[in-house]
Amino acid sequence: MESKHSEVRVLEKPHKKLDVWRMSMDLVTEVYKVTDKFPKEEKFSLADQIHRSAISIPSNIAEGAARNTKMEFVNFLHIAQGSLSELDTQIELAKRLKYIEEQSWKELDIMMERIDKMLTGLIRSQKSPND
């Protein structure tokens, strides 16, 4: 027999309510799919660096959302943008090395551009004096 307490839902973490966090998690998933096709010799070099940059994006959004002040949140959003720029550079390099097909690169590029715009908008909203 279950108690009524087991029916109480755990409050959703603040970052999980953010569209930019969800989209950046989708980006990480796509990055892993694309890098899975890299040559074996790149599995622990460029692919590993790409993974770290990609994972850093939603991780920093989550950490910032858990902070107590808007200023701290904005700082972590800027860090997420920096990781996004790193990822963009690494994905571009992988494309130039022919590790990523043109179509896959385009899809990742569209996702990264959208996430960047979302981060910029979220930063702007957090800095708004109307809040």
Side-chain angles (χ1 to χ4, degrees):
M1 181 182 284
E2 289 188 34
S3 71
K4 285 188 176 186
H5 295 288
S6 65
E7 295 175 16
V8 175
R9 290 177 40 118
V10 176
L11 290 176
E12 188 175 25
K13 299 287 186 184
H15 61 276
K16 292 187 177 183
K17 297 175 186 173
L18 297 171
D19 290 339
V20 68
W21 178 82
R22 287 193 291 273
M23 177 164 259
S24 63
M25 290 292 286
D26 292 343
L27 176 63
V28 174
T29 303
E30 290 306 310
V31 160
Y32 268 80
K33 288 177 187 174
V34 168
T35 57
D36 194 45
K37 298 172 186 168
F38 277 23
K40 248 189 172 133
E41 64 271 12
E42 287 296 342
K43 293 285 182 184
F44 298 106
S45 54
L46 183 57
D48 190 47
Q49 185 63 42
I50 288 172
H51 293 165
R52 284 195 302 270
S53 296
I55 291 167
S56 181
I57 300 163
S59 298
N60 278 292
I61 293 167
E63 187 170 352
R67 296 298 174 134
N68 293 322
T69 67
K70 285 185 178 189
M71 192 169 89
E72 286 179 298
F73 185 28
V74 167
N75 185 49
F76 280 94
L77 294 175
H78 281 298
I79 294 168
Q81 272 189 317
S83 295
L84 184 63
S85 290
E86 282 184 52
L87 178 62
D88 180 58
T89 298
Q90 295 154 359
I91 294 294
E92 176 71 24
L93 178 59
K95 178 186 159 223
R96 290 181 183 199
L97 294 170
K98 310 263 190 265
Y99 297 160
I100 297 178
E101 296 172 6
E102 184 74 20
Q103 186 59 38
S104 294
W105 174 81
K106 283 180 183 176
E107 290 169 11
L108 290 173
D109 192 56
I110 289 167
M111 290 179 82
M112 289 186 292
E113 189 174 318
R114 185 162 180 221
I115 290 167
D116 189 45
K117 287 178 181 176
M118 292 170 83
L119 285 168
T120 298
L122 187 53
I123 290 166
R124 198 173 292 129
S125 77
Q126 294 301 305
K127 289 182 175 179
S128 172
N130 299 332
D131 294 331

